[in-house]
Amino acid sequence: MGYVLEGAQAALALLLAPGLVGLVRWMKARLQNRRGAPVWQPYRELGKLFRKEVVVSSTASWLFRAAPFVVFASAVAVTFLVPILAVPLPFDGVGDLLVVVYLLLLGTFFLSLAGLDPGSPFGGMGASREMTVAALAEPTIALAIFALALGAGSTNLGQIVARTMADPGAALSPGHLLAFGALFIVTLAETGRLPIDNPATHLELTMIHEAMVLEYSGRYLALIEWAAAVKLLIFFSLLGNLFVPWGVSVAFTPAAVAVAVASLLAKLVVLAGAVALLETRIAKLRLFRVPELLSASFVLALLAVTSSFLLR
Amino acid sequence: MAPEQLLVAVTLSAYPAGALAALGVRGAAGRGLVAGCAFLGAVAGLLLGAVCLGAGLAPTVTAPFLPLTGVALRIDGLSAFFLILIGVVGAAVALYGFGYSAAYQGRYSLRRLGALLNVLLLSLTVQVMADNALTFLMTWETMSLAAYLLVLTEHDRPGTVRAATWYLAVTHAGFAALVAMFFLLSAGELTTSFAAMRSVSLAPLVRDAAFVLALVGFGAKAGVVPVHVWLPMAHPVAPSHVSALMSGVVIKMGVYGLLRVTIDLLGGGPPWWGGLVLGVGTVSALLGVLYALMEHDLKRLLAFHSVENIGIIFIGIGAGLMFQSYGLTTLATLGIVGGLYHTINHACFKGLLFLGAGSVLHATGTRNMEELGGLIRRMPRTAFFFLVGACAISALPPLNGFASEWLVFQALLGGSAIPQPEVAVIMPIAVAMLALTSGLAAACFVKAFGITFLAIPRSPEAAHAHEAPPSMQVGMVSLVLMCVGLGLAPFAVVPLLGSSLAGLGGLAPTAVTFTLALPLRVPGTFGQMSAPLLALGLALLLALVPLALWLLGANRRLRVGDTWGCGRIGQTARMEYTATAFAEPLRRIFAELYRPSQDLSIDFHPASKYFVQSIEYRSEIHPWFERVLYARLLQGLRSAATGVRRLQGGSVHLYLVYMTLALLVLLTAARWGR
C-alpha cells in the first residue's frame, strides 16, 4: 500500500505542478485587475512544446541535450522523498532533507552548465547568477534543516512531520516559526520568483532562470519548465507539510488519503495566494541587493536554531 | 611467509627498483619501468592495507635491512587505511605518468622525475607505517624533500623556483614544530616506540603544547589557512601527475599525523582542541573556496579547492575530537569517520581533477581557462572524466563527495548532544559555513568545467587540442571508478573506517552500522540515507523519462542552428561569457574579503574626448590577510636578519670571543642544571 501511495504521490505532484504555476499566474492577474489566462494554460503550453521540433545550437555538446533529462529526473526523484500526501512512506529512509537539497542542486548544476554550453552571453550570465543565488541560499537551508531536525530528532522528512503532528505545540514554537520565515524566502529564491527573479520577463538585464534556458526549445524546454513547476510544488509542500502538517495521511485508508489530497490542495492555494499577493506588491530587487535579502533569511534561520537550543 | 609480510616486502622493494630503473634505463623503456614499478608498489601497498584492515591484523614489521638505524615499522588500522589511499592514487598516477612524462623527453630530466616519484611514494608508504618518532621524522623529511625537488622539475619556467622555495620554507617551519613536539612526547628519546609514548602520562600543559605544535606542523603540511600559501603556488607548477599525488596524498599526511598524534598518542584532550581544529577547518573551507572562485588558472583553482577540502576534513575531525572530550564516543567516531571518508574521497576526485587538468595542459599547453573552451568536442573522454570529478567535488549525489559531506553534516547535527549549550551553538554555525562552502564549490566547478570544456574554443591551441593518450586515460578511469564506487558503497566503507579507528584513543570500536537497506543507524544521530537506492532511482528515472516521451509521441525532430545572438550574424568566441564574468557577482558580494583593486585608464583622441582610442582595465585580487600576515612576517624576519648581521664583523678574533662565551654559558648551564 505504501508503494502505491508513493507512486500516486509522485504522479499527483507531476500532474498538479503546471496547474500550480497557472494558479499563481491567474491570481496575480486578478490582483492586477487583469482577466489572466486560465489556470490550465501551462498544460497547453507544455503540450504545444512537446509537439514542436527542437532547435539545438551548433556549438552545443551532448551535455546540452542531456541536461533537461537530468533536471527533470532529479526533480521527480525528489517527489518520492518529500511527504506530499502521507507519512511514513517506504522511501523515507532513502533520503533526508539534505539529500533533497543536494538533488535539487544537481539539477541546478547541470542546467547552469547547459546555459554555458551554446556560448551565448545570456546563457552564461544566467548560469552565473543562478549559481550565485543557489550558493547563497545553501546556508539558510542547512540552518533551517538544523532547526527542524533539532525539534524532531531527525533530518528525515517523515519523522519531522510525524513529530510535529504528535506534538502540535511545537508548530508554534519560535524555532519553527522563524525557520518557516527563512525557508519561505529561500523558496522564492530557489524557485525563481519575485523579488529575486521574475518568471514572466524576457529582459536580459533582470532575468536569471529565463536567461539560462534561452537556447532551449521544444521537448527540452518543456521538460525544464515542467521540472521548474515541480520544484515550486516541492517547496510549497515542504512549507505546507513540515510546518503545518495537519491533514497529511498517517493511516493508508481511502478516507485519510482523500483528506490528505484536500488539505494539500488547500495549502497550495493559500501559499499560491501569498506568493501572488507578494509578487503584485513588491518590485524585483537588483541582483546585488539579493544577497541582503538572503542574509536576512540566514539571520532568521540562525535565530531559529539558537532559540531551539535555548528552549530545548 | 605470511601474505602481509610478502606484500610489505614487495611494496618496499618495488619503489627502490623503480627509482634505480629511472636512473639506469633511458627512453620509453625507462618510463615503462618507472611506471611499472610504481604501479606494482602501489597495488601491493593497496592490497597490504586491504588485508590488514580486512583481517583486523596489526603485524609489527621491523625493517631487517636497516638494523642500526632505529627504524621501526608497524601497521595498524589507521596505517592500513592510509596505505589503501596511497595505493589508489599512486597506482593511477603511475599509469598516467607513463604517458604524461613522454612530453618531458629531451626537455627536462626524466631520470630525476622517475626516481623522485618512486622515492616520494616509498617515503609515503613508510611514513604511515612508522612506529617511532625517528622513523616518522626521517620519512617526513624525505617526503618533503622529494616533493620539493619534484615541484622544481620544470625549473626554467617563471614562478617555479619561487613556489618551491615557499613550499620548502613552510614545510620546514612545520618540520621544526614536529621535531619539538616529538621531543616533548618522548622526553628526548626519539627511538621510543609509539606504544611506549602512549602509556606515558604527561602534564596537561605539555600535552597542550604538544597538541598546538602538532596542529601547526601537520596543518602546514595539510595546507590549512593561514599556512596554506605554499599550496596554490606549488601545485600548479609541478608536473600534473605530481600535483595529483601531492594534493591527493602528500597533504593527507597532515591529516594522518594529526590523527596519529592527537587521537592515538595523546588520546584526545579538552574540548578546545576539537574547537580549534573545527575553527581552523571552517575558515580553511570557506576561504579556500572563495579564493578558488577568483582563480582562472585551472590548476591553481584546484589547489585552492584542496585548502577547502582539507578544511572539510578538519571540520569532521574537529567535531570528533570535541565529542570525544565530552565522552560522546559514538558521535566522535562518526565525526572522524566522516573526516576520513572525505580524506579518501578527496584523494580520488582531486587526483582525478588534477589528472584531467594535466590532460588539458598536455593538449593545449595552457592552464588559463580564459584561453580554453570547447574541449568537450576535441577531448570527449577527458571532459567526461573531469565532469565526474567536478560533480563529486561539488557533493552532488550519488557520488562520493556527497556521501562524506552528508556524514560530516550528520556529525555536526549531533552537536546538540553536547551538554554545554554555549559550546553546542558552534555546531550550527559550522553547518551553515559548510553548506555555504559546498554551494560555492558547485558554482566554482560550473565555472571550471563550463568555461574550460564547453562552448567555443577561445584560442587556436584549444581549437586544435587532442585527446589524451590511452595510458593517461586509464589512470583517470581508475579514479572515476573509485569516485562512483565510494559514492555508492557507504554501507561498506563506513564500517571499514570504523574498524580502522577501533581502539584509538578510547573511541567506540564501530558503533556506526549500515545494513543493506542502508539507513545509517547511530544512536544519538539524526538522519537516514541510502546511496545505492538513490542512484538506482535516478538511473531508472533517467531511462524512463525518454521512454515516456517516446511513448507519448513527443516530437523527436531536431534541427541544428546558430546560437541566437540578438540578430547578429555569426558567433565568435569573443561573445562568450568568460570565467571572470562568471565569478563577478560573487566577487562583488564578497568584496570585503577579496579587496579587489581596479584600474581603468582611457586613452582619448587628442582632438576630441568623444573618440576613445583605447581602454585598459586591470583588476587584481589581493587577499588582504595573506598580505598583512606574511608581509609583516617577512619584514620582521628581514629586520631581525639585519640586526643579526651586525654581529658578523668579519674579524676572527670576534668570532673566537663568541665561541668562548657560548662555551662558557653552556658549561655553566650544564653544571647548574645538574
Side-chain angles (χ1 to χ4, degrees):
Chain A
M1 184 64 202
Y3 291 100
V4 176
L5 208 56
E6 186 93 64
Q9 169 180 304
L12 184 72
L14 278 181
L15 287 179
L16 273 186
L20 182 63
V21 172
L23 183 67
V24 177
R25 278 193 214 158
W26 181 78
M27 284 179 160
K28 222 167 118 176
R30 300 306 294 185
L31 285 166
Q32 291 168 340
N33 271 339
R34 290 187 289 123
R35 184 180 293 162
V39 171
W40 49 88
Q41 181 64 26
Y43 295 101
R44 289 185 190 161
E45 288 169 11
L46 285 182
K48 192 170 172 185
L49 283 173
F50 276 124
R51 284 194 302 274
K52 286 202 159 210
E53 75 169 356
V54 171
V55 184
V56 172
S57 160
S58 55
T59 52
S61 65
W62 61 266
L63 200 128
F64 184 81
R65 297 190 209 167
F69 294 101
V70 176
V71 173
F72 191 73
S74 63
V76 176
V78 169
T79 61
F80 282 95
L81 303 176
V82 172
I84 296 175
L85 287 181
V87 286
L89 286 171
F91 289 167
D92 194 38
V94 173
D96 60 353
L97 250 176
L98 287 167
V99 173
V100 167
V101 170
Y102 279 87
L103 268 178
L104 293 175
L105 186 65
L106 173 73
T108 311
F109 187 88
F110 272 84
L111 201 53
S112 300
L113 283 181
L116 283 167
D117 202 17
S120 135
F122 293 125
M125 189 175 65
S128 159
R129 293 175 175 182
E130 177 94 354
M131 288 315 291
T132 304
V133 172
L136 294 179
E138 287 284 300
T140 308
I141 301 181
L143 276 186
I145 292 174
F146 201 116
L148 289 173
L150 270 184
S154 172
T155 50
N156 282 69
L157 295 146
Q159 294 266 349
I160 297 176
V161 171
R163 184 64 69 91
T164 317
M165 284 173 98
D167 177 18
L172 286 175
S173 72
H176 232 68
L177 294 176
L178 288 165
F180 180 84
L183 262 190
F184 187 77
I185 296 178
V186 166
T187 299
L188 298 178
E190 284 274 318
T191 54
R193 311 298 308 188
L194 279 169
I196 284 111
D197 188 6
N198 189 346
T201 184
H202 273 281
L203 202 68
E204 303 80 42
L205 289 177
T206 60
M207 58 191 182
I208 300 179
H209 184 83
E210 289 299 319
M212 196 168 49
V213 302
L214 198 65
E215 279 293 318
Y216 274 111
S217 51
R219 62 180 188 279
Y220 293 156
L221 184 61
L223 282 177
I224 287 172
E225 295 288 333
W226 200 352
V230 170
K231 201 170 162 184
L232 185 70
L233 184 117
I234 288 167
F235 271 95
F236 274 13
S237 47
L238 277 179
L239 283 173
N241 287 347
L242 289 187
F243 295 93
V244 196
W246 294 281
V248 177
S249 157
V250 277
F252 297 155
T253 59
V257 173
V259 170
V261 173
S263 79
L264 176 74
L265 289 176
K267 287 171 191 171
L268 290 180
V269 169
V270 170
L271 282 165
V275 167
L277 190 64
L278 193 73
E279 292 201 337
T280 50
R281 304 306 308 165
I282 52 176
K284 191 190 164 303
L285 284 173
R286 277 182 62 216
L287 184 68
F288 292 106
R289 303 300 292 267
V290 169
E292 292 170 18
L293 182 71
L294 289 174
S295 49
S297 76
F298 176 77
V299 171
L300 280 180
L302 197 61
L303 286 176
V305 172
T306 326
S307 74
S308 324
F309 260 104
L310 295 178
L311 300 175
R312 205 147 41 103
Chain B
M1 202 190 249
E4 65 273 4
Q5 299 285 356
L6 183 69
L7 286 169
V8 169
V10 170
T11 188
L12 290 189
S13 52
Y15 293 132
L20 288 178
L23 296 177
V25 187
R26 287 174 176 278
R31 282 192 294 122
L33 274 177
V34 166
C37 289
F39 182 73
L40 180 66
V43 170
L46 173 65
L47 290 176
L48 176 63
V51 166
C52 291
L53 208 53
L57 292 170
T60 308
V61 189
T62 43
F65 45 89
L66 292 168
L68 294 175
T69 52
V71 170
L73 303 180
R74 181 171 165 275
I75 302 170
D76 66 354
L78 196 60
S79 323
F81 167 70
F82 276 90
L83 279 175
I84 293 176
L85 187 150
I86 297 166
V88 167
V89 182
V93 163
L95 291 174
Y96 183 92
F98 172 71
Y100 190 74
S101 58
Y104 284 69
Q105 188 94 48
R107 285 166 56 214
Y108 301 106
S109 167
L110 269 183
R111 302 172 60 177
R112 212 178 79 164
L113 180 62
L116 285 169
L117 189 71
N118 275 291
V119 169
L120 181 60
L121 282 165
L122 176 68
S123 66
L124 289 166
T125 309
V126 179
Q127 174 82 77
V128 297
M129 296 193 223
D131 197 34
N132 64 19
L134 188 70
T135 316
F136 192 92
L137 290 174
M138 283 194 325
T139 46
W140 187 268
E141 187 60 7
T142 315
M143 168 183 83
S144 302
L145 287 180
Y148 164 71
L149 292 172
L150 280 168
V151 170
L152 269 180
T153 304
E154 298 176 25
H155 50 83
D156 55 350
R157 293 191 180 236
T160 305
V161 174
R162 185 165 173 270
T165 312
W166 266 97
Y167 170 62
L168 198 66
V170 175
T171 201
H172 271 146
F175 185 66
L178 292 185
V179 172
M181 178 206 69
F182 273 119
F183 268 109
L184 281 181
L185 286 185
S186 65
E189 282 292 322
L190 288 184
T191 47
T192 318
S193 76
F194 281 168
M197 272 187 219
R198 253 172 240 134
S199 56
V200 176
S201 63
L202 299 164
L205 205 62
V206 177
R207 286 164 53 85
D208 286 351
F211 165 73
V212 171
L213 286 170
L215 187 59
V216 171
F218 293 125
K221 178 60 76 182
V224 294
V225 172
V227 274
H228 66 286
V229 274
W230 64 272
L231 210 146
M233 289 195 236
H235 282 13
V237 297
S240 296
H241 58 306
V242 174
S243 310
L245 196 59
M246 284 184 74
S247 184
V249 185
V250 173
I251 63 170
K252 301 298 165 13
M253 290 301 116
V255 176
Y256 169 75
L258 191 72
L259 282 174
R260 174 64 77 202
V261 170
T262 50
I263 305 271
D264 187 16
L265 298 184
L266 290 170
W272 67 265
W273 288 20
L276 189 60
V277 175
L278 183 68
V280 165
T282 314
V283 172
S284 298
L286 197 55
L287 283 184
V289 72
L290 281 173
Y291 288 141
L293 268 167
M294 292 304 120
E295 221 28 87
H296 308 316
D297 177 326
L298 193 54
K299 283 177 75 177
R300 256 178 86 83
L301 179 144
L302 293 177
F304 271 120
H305 272 285
S306 295
V307 177
E308 176 220 331
N309 281 284
I310 284 287
I312 296 175
I313 294 166
F314 270 46
I315 290 177
I317 293 175
L321 275 170
M322 277 183 97
F323 293 133
Q324 193 197 14
S325 59
Y326 284 104
L328 305 162
T329 49
T330 311
L331 278 171
T333 312
L334 185 68
I336 296 172
V337 162
L340 278 183
Y341 199 169
H342 202 71
T343 306
I344 191 161
N345 288 343
H346 178 247
C348 293
F349 56 63
K350 187 52 70 61
L352 171 61
L353 288 167
F354 263 120
L355 296 185
S359 303
V360 170
L361 183 61
H362 187 263
T364 63
T366 179
R367 304 193 304 250
N368 186 352
M369 286 159 57
E370 310 283 31
E371 291 171 12
L372 297 168
L375 295 179
I376 195 169
R377 286 164 176 262
R378 276 107 200 144
M379 25 196 336
R381 298 202 187 112
T382 303
F384 179 73
F385 303 148
F386 196 93
L387 180 63
V388 173
C391 290
I393 199 172
S394 307
L396 299 179
L399 291 169
N400 58 353
F402 178 70
S404 51
E405 271 192 35
W406 188 85
L407 268 181
V408 173
F409 266 122
Q410 291 295 331
L412 290 174
L413 290 170
S416 59
I418 290 180
Q420 287 171 284
E422 68 273 20
V423 178
V425 153
I426 297 173
M427 296 295 180
I429 295 171
V431 165
M433 294 301 118
L434 184 56
L436 180 61
T437 303
S438 73
L440 290 173
C444 192
F445 273 93
V446 168
K447 178 185 107 170
F449 184 81
I451 304 290
T452 310
F453 288 97
L454 300 179
I456 313 168
R458 296 177 176 81
S459 69
E461 289 81 13
H464 299 110
H466 55 84
E467 184 57 277
S471 66
M472 286 163 66
Q473 288 182 27
V474 171
M476 290 188 273
V477 166
S478 65
L479 290 177
V480 165
L481 293 178
M482 284 303 293
C483 284
V484 176
L486 283 168
L488 294 187
F491 58 90
V493 178
V494 172
L496 265 184
L497 290 176
S499 68
S500 83
L501 285 173
L504 294 186
L507 288 179
T510 166
V512 187
T513 52
F514 277 86
T515 60
L516 203 63
L518 314 171
L520 168 73
R521 291 214 184 88
V522 192
T525 48
F526 285 96
Q528 290 188 356
M529 189 269 283
S530 165
L533 287 180
L534 202 60
L536 185 70
L538 271 179
L540 268 179
L541 285 170
L542 273 177
L544 282 178
V545 172
L547 188 71
L549 285 190
W550 180 69
L551 286 178
L552 292 174
N555 192 332
R556 290 168 47 78
R557 272 189 304 164
L558 188 143
R559 186 154 56 86
V560 175
D562 286 337
T563 301
W564 186 70
C566 295
R568 270 196 217 97
I569 298 172
Q571 195 200 9
T572 69
R574 296 258 300 155
M575 298 171 190
E576 286 176 64
Y577 227 51
T578 60
T580 316
F582 191 90
E584 173 65 15
L586 287 163
R587 183 163 103 156
R588 284 219 203 173
I589 291 164
F590 295 102
E592 278 301 306
L593 272 169
Y594 293 131
R595 305 284 171 108
S597 68
Q598 294 180 345
D599 185 19
L600 180 67
S601 61
I602 304 174
D603 194 12
F604 297 109
H605 192 271
S608 161
K609 66 169 181 164
Y610 297 109
F611 291 100
V612 174
Q613 283 188 320
S614 70
I615 297 181
E616 193 180 301
Y617 175 75
R618 187 190 302 272
S619 177
E620 278 173 36
I621 302 273
H622 297 287
W624 59 269
F625 102 103
E626 275 173 40
R627 199 181 44 191
V628 169
L629 187 70
Y630 282 92
R632 294 216 175 127
L633 189 71
L634 286 181
Q635 203 180 5
L637 275 178
R638 238 177 241 130
S639 59
T642 321
V644 168
R645 207 163 58 187
R646 284 201 205 112
L647 293 174
Q648 193 187 9
S651 141
V652 178
H653 301 296
L654 195 60
Y655 297 158
L656 283 175
V657 173
Y658 292 156
M659 279 185 211
T660 319
L661 280 178
L663 202 59
L664 277 176
V665 168
L666 282 177
L667 284 173
T668 328
R671 173 83 187 166
W672 181 63
R674 194 133 47 91

